[in-house]
Amino acid sequence: MSVKHHLLLSTALLMTTLTYAGPRAALAADAPAAPVTGTWQDAAQSPDARTSALLKVMTREEKLQLVFGYFSTDFKPKAYTRIEGGMADSAGYVPGIARLGIPAQSQTDAGVGVATQASPTPRLRTALPSGLATAATWNPEMAFAGGAMIGDEARRSGFNVQLAGGVNLTREPRNGRNFEYGGEDPLLAGTIVGQAIKGIQSNNIISTLKHYAFNDQETSRNFIDVKVDEAEGRQSDLLAFEIALETGNPGSVMCSYNRVNGAYACENDWLLNQVLKKDWGFKGFVMSDWGATHSTAPAANAGLDQQSGYPFDKSPYFKDALDEAVNNGHVSAARLDDMAARILRAMFANGLFEHPLNGDQAATIDYVAHAKVTQADAEEAIVLLKNQGDVLPLAKTVKTIAIIGGHADVGVLSGGGSAQVYPYGAPANGLIIPNEGPAFFPGPMVYDPSSPLKALQGLTQAKITYIDGKDAKAAAKLAAGSDVAIVFATQWTGEGQDAIDLNLPNDQDALIKAVAGANKKTVVVLENGGPVVMPWLDKVAAVVDAWYPGTSGGEAIARVLAGEVNPSGHLPVSFPASVDQLPRKVVDGDRKDKAEHPHVDYTLEGAAVGYKWYEKKGLKPLFPFGHGLSYTTFAASDLAAAALDGKGVKVSLTLRNTGARDGKAVAQVYVTPAAGGWEAPKRLGAFRKVALKAGESQSVSLTVDPRLLATYDTAAHAWKIKGGDYTVMTGTSYQDITAKVTVHLPDATLPVGAP
Ligand code: BGC
């Protein structure tokens, strides 16, 4: 079992040994003992009114108590014992204030379900497919349903704050945490992650939006300095956050570890005060990532509202030191009020006062219903990348199937790190396969107990034989004697480390080549954290991308292979042909470069993230953003576009299922100014997933957000649409455009916030 992941924090931090018994005992004693009641208890009043009423009766100590969070797991390197009151082996806890009826904040990771920090007996819960997988559904309703489900499990597990909502763009395909996020496009990622947040918060709990911002790689994440141009940042990473914020209205935003243009993200006035709170009007609170607070007055004045996860920071900056800073005027009393008010407001707005925590009620979780939610998500997330000769779905004539590798006989892979959900259905230690992957964080490698093999066996009469794939020759021999060979290829990624390259690890490329050499009907099923290269692509018949498909992922994969489910996932991220196509051949900021302040320069690609970069550079990726095949065929027609009086563009088109099977199509709308001048040749402007029965057609109407037709003008502090002709396109990926129309837009200036 792993030790705590934060061992990965700086070595300096590890050297310090503290004994810290928990929250200052004096806090409780300072506060008047008698319970106080007041109008803040009236749920009919607005969150703002309740907050200001409550703030008036709070002591300084009580306000300070709200802005300081503790880790809720024993942490040996710092001789730290879990804070009393917090749920076992969980991410964090902020004690409540009984006399005022202020509930504790009980925090759990993360975006695919209720996670457990290092523990020999983790809580076992339903896991959704990875965040990237949910983005591959291109289905906001699916994202909402998944969020609602994991939020329910969080609440029943004793939590009212879920550290979910990761929306960092896939700027670096090797980023070890891409699986937690929503891909490379700000509109798709922001919409999907925003809906997941909304779903989580429908359970009267707070979700975060994280990691704000530009935390797009794990290498040197605790101190790397990201250089970014303001306008380019607003048109890329920040736009993803902005859309997620508007869509999901999270109670909290978690600032990230890295620096941005010199200042740590958690003491970055531009990011926190200017962009997030002023321009976007964020009314909730900013919490720091675990170990991302570096100061008292600079952080508080730059907009950090709550220090999290003590003792991961070097000091309890937001405890006595903050008290002192207020006393001596380095932080104003009004600012401390604002910090406390933002936390309280988020708690009121999300029903935390009206829905008290009640310890661990996990016995009441409806795992059967939740398995259906995660399975539906996985089924829509699976992307059929290649299907030569319609080898899939598996024909009735297939009598023998070789299943090779990936532990497909017992389960499916998940991603590692603080977001790790130990799966419901596993043995008490959470591991159906012991001793896989690193022993320590972000390990171990956790497999969800959902066997693709067993599920497929239930759907076919064919004889299935499994071999683990460690011996490529033996695998090839089995494949040669089978009608179809299915290789389950895995790419395990995790927090705190980036992939060294985009190749499948452990000689799996060679395994696939050997199998494909022995059987032309070779199907590769990928279980991956993010993009991988496929040096064997032209040798295999089919490729199915299942991502990390969650606790019912095996069933989902089997149903797609057998044709019970018609695949409808589309890539939320392009797969480059090789690392040579990336803006950076190697991940920047490796500590080995001995630079005192490792940095990464995002002005290199600017806002041209992912497909925008490839297209701008004339590079052809292996698979483009938006790509995804189906067992049926679709056609788009009647594309039309009309300007919406400064409010974007209205687009309509008709989608038709031209094949013989029911299926789901995604209307993808791309936009570009005819005169050029953007960061890239085109942007995704709008999308919609539509279910169509065989032969059915449906007209779809979509709106392109005006920000996606504009560029950000830093000097004017506004978005500007340049008057002229714009091309509106639809297609089956950003590369495969099937129809275009032109719309004329007048010059327009849009305010910096939501349209
Ligand atoms: C991660 C966060 C997580 C926190 C609490 C950090 O290391 O970056 O995503 O929420 O730990 O576990």
Side-chain angles (χ1 to χ4, degrees):
M1 184 54 64
S2 79
V3 298
K4 177 56 202 140
H5 65 278
H6 298 87
L7 283 173
L8 284 175
L9 293 177
S10 75
T11 38
L13 197 136
L14 290 179
M15 305 296 286
T16 332
T17 299
L18 296 179
T19 34
Y20 197 80
R24 213 163 47 122
L27 284 179
D30 287 349
V36 179
T37 56
T39 52
W40 69 87
Q41 288 162 323
D42 178 2
Q45 303 225 11
S46 71
D48 287 321
R50 298 177 76 184
T51 300
S52 65
L54 178 48
L55 210 56
K56 284 196 185 92
V57 299
M58 287 177 75
T59 63
R60 165 87 67 83
E61 286 73 14
E62 286 166 342
K63 292 171 194 167
L64 286 167
Q65 182 165 331
L66 281 187
V67 303
F68 190 78
Y70 299 83
F71 192 40
S72 190
T73 300
D74 293 345
F75 188 41
K76 292 206 181 81
K78 290 201 136 193
Y80 173 82
T81 307
R82 162 161 77 95
I83 171 80
E84 197 187 324
M87 298 303 290
D89 307 322
S90 72
Y93 188 70
V94 180
I97 300 170
R99 89 169 179 106
L100 300 170
I102 300 177
Q105 296 160 62
S106 177
Q107 304 165 326
T108 182
D109 286 298
V112 300
V114 182
T116 306
Q117 305 279 346
S119 167
T121 52
R123 46 181 74 73
L124 307 180
R125 298 289 182 270
T126 309
L128 287 170
S130 65
L132 194 59
T134 297
T137 68
W138 292 57
N139 185 345
E141 286 167 23
M142 193 64 79
F144 179 90
M149 182 273 280
I150 62 170
D152 175 76
E153 293 203 4
R155 183 155 258 297
R156 289 174 195 271
S157 302
F159 298 103
N160 56 9
V161 179
Q162 190 148 14
L163 309 173
V167 77
N168 297 92
L169 285 190
T170 311
R171 209 177 251 280
E172 173 49 73
R174 290 159 291 194
N175 178 3
R177 297 187 89 173
N178 281 333
F179 74 93
E180 293 189 53
Y181 305 142
E184 68 192 18
D185 181 79
L187 175 67
L188 179 64
T191 307
I192 294 292
V193 173
Q195 287 293 342
I197 289 169
K198 210 168 161 182
I200 290 170
Q201 292 196 155
S202 67
N203 294 284
N204 299 300
I205 65 179
I206 288 172
S207 174
T208 60
L209 172 64
K210 71 186 190 183
H211 308 86
Y212 186 70
F214 303 103
N215 181 191
D216 299 344
Q217 66 176 58
E218 291 297 282
T219 304
S220 300
R221 67 170 175 169
N222 293 105
F223 36 81
I224 194 159
D225 189 11
V226 177
K227 184 176 166 198
V228 62
D229 168 79
E230 168 157 3
E232 291 171 346
R234 296 234 197 199
Q235 289 170 207
S236 56
D237 297 55
L238 294 183
L239 187 55
F241 277 95
E242 190 178 3
I243 292 170
L245 193 77
E246 291 162 10
T247 309
N249 194 17
S252 181
V253 168
M254 185 191 290
C255 51
S256 55
Y257 287 124
N258 51 292
R259 299 170 196 251
V260 179
N261 293 330
Y264 279 112
C266 291
E267 53 185 56
N268 196 306
D269 179 75
W270 172 61
L271 278 180
L272 305 181
N273 282 338
Q274 306 306 324
V275 176
L276 177 66
K277 292 182 177 176
K278 192 153 158 268
D279 294 346
W280 298 346
F282 177 60
K283 289 186 169 170
F285 66 102
V286 176
M287 71 164 78
S288 58
D289 201 344
W290 274 228
T293 306
H294 296 274
S295 64
T296 302
N301 291 331
L304 178 64
D305 300 305
Q306 187 181 66
Q307 177 180 2
S308 307
Y310 191 78
F312 288 107
D313 296 308
K314 282 193 181 138
S315 286
Y317 297 107
F318 276 23
K319 280 184 69 69
D320 297 357
L322 182 58
D323 193 13
E324 193 183 322
V326 175
N327 282 337
N328 63 27
H330 290 313
V331 173
S332 69
R335 172 65 188 124
L336 177 60
D337 279 1
D338 178 49
M339 294 159 74
R342 285 172 170 278
I343 296 163
L344 291 170
R345 192 190 178 284
M347 294 170 79
F348 283 127
N350 289 290
L352 269 59
F353 278 73
E354 278 65 52
H355 297 86
L357 289 168
N358 196 13
D360 189 350
Q361 301 292 320
T364 66
I365 292 174
D366 187 346
Y367 291 107
V368 175
H370 291 185
K372 290 189 183 132
V373 177
T374 185
Q375 184 172 328
D377 192 353
E379 288 175 357
E380 281 210 17
I382 289 173
V383 183
L384 181 61
L385 291 171
K386 176 177 179 179
N387 192 18
Q388 196 176 297
D390 288 342
V391 67
L392 293 176
L394 295 168
K396 297 262 178 300
T397 50
V398 170
K399 297 287 177 251
T400 50
I401 301 173
I403 288 193
I404 298 161
H407 295 294
D409 55 332
V410 289
V412 289
L413 188 58
S414 64
S418 60
Q420 183 73 64
V421 175
Y422 288 83
Y424 180 71
N429 69 357
L431 302 174
I432 54 168
I433 300 169
N435 309 320
E436 283 266 320
F440 303 130
F441 183 89
M445 245 178 226
V446 176
Y447 282 80
D448 293 332
S450 172
S451 159
L453 185 153
K454 283 189 197 124
L456 190 60
Q457 192 65 86
L459 298 171
T460 169
Q461 303 297 320
K463 178 173 181 290
I464 302 180
T465 310
Y466 177 76
I467 190 166
D468 66 15
K470 286 185 185 136
D471 178 345
K473 272 196 190 140
K477 194 169 166 221
L478 175 66
S482 308
D483 293 341
V484 171
I486 308 176
V487 184
F488 282 78
T490 55
Q491 180 214 31
W492 183 75
T493 59
E495 181 182 340
Q497 59 187 38
D498 294 322
I500 45 170
D501 56 30
L502 295 174
N503 285 84
L504 291 169
N506 305 326
D507 288 333
Q508 291 177 97
D509 287 334
L511 169 69
I512 296 168
K513 276 185 197 157
V515 171
N519 190 327
K520 284 199 166 44
K521 290 193 174 170
T522 292
V523 175
V524 175
V525 177
L526 293 167
E527 292 168 19
N528 48 334
V532 293
V533 293
M534 305 178 199
W536 32 261
L537 182 61
D538 59 347
K539 299 186 174 57
V540 304
V543 183
V544 174
D545 198 341
W547 315 101
Y548 300 142
T551 38
S552 296
E555 283 79 5
I557 293 170
R559 277 162 55 81
V560 166
L561 294 175
E564 300 283 313
V565 167
N566 191 349
S568 64
H570 290 259
L571 289 182
V573 62
S574 305
F575 281 31
S578 87
V579 290
D580 293 337
Q581 294 187 332
L582 302 179
R584 280 161 282 276
K585 310 288 169 269
V586 292
V587 178
D588 269 347
D590 195 313
R591 278 190 237 183
K592 289 195 282 295
D593 70 9
K594 302 260 190 306
E596 196 185 338
H597 289 302
H599 68 277
V600 57
D601 185 358
Y602 286 171
T603 63
L604 178 59
E605 71 276 38
V609 175
Y611 67 91
K612 295 170 183 166
W613 167 262
Y614 303 121
E615 190 164 35
K616 174 183 171 174
K617 291 286 175 187
L619 299 165
K620 199 171 177 300
L622 193 61
F623 289 108
F625 173 84
H627 173 72
L629 304 172
S630 166
Y631 296 151
T632 186
T633 47
F634 300 102
S637 59
D638 310 329
L639 178 67
L644 274 176
D645 194 21
K647 293 200 177 61
V649 165
K650 193 174 158 63
V651 181
S652 57
L653 58 105
T654 303
L655 282 176
R656 176 146 191 256
N657 183 339
T658 50
R661 274 175 187 261
D662 298 353
K664 287 180 182 167
V666 173
Q668 301 178 34
V669 172
Y670 294 90
V671 287
T672 193
W678 280 359
E679 73 277 6
K682 62 174 88 82
R683 298 173 180 165
L684 180 71
F687 66 92
R688 174 83 48 77
K689 194 161 200 179
V690 184
L692 293 169
K693 297 210 175 308
E696 188 186 350
S697 52
Q698 193 176 313
S699 74
V700 183
S701 161
L702 311 99
T703 304
V704 182
D705 184 298
R707 287 167 294 192
L708 294 167
L709 299 158
T711 49
Y712 186 78
D713 183 332
T714 304
H717 198 65
W719 295 91
K720 295 263 170 131
I721 298 179
K722 199 165 186 294
D725 283 347
Y726 283 73
T727 311
V728 175
M729 296 158 267
T730 191
T732 53
S733 77
Y734 84 86
Q735 262 181 4
D736 303 290
I737 297 302
T738 54
K740 295 180 183 189
V741 288
T742 301
V743 62
H744 187 84
L745 299 180
D747 270 324
T749 300
L750 315 162
V752 70

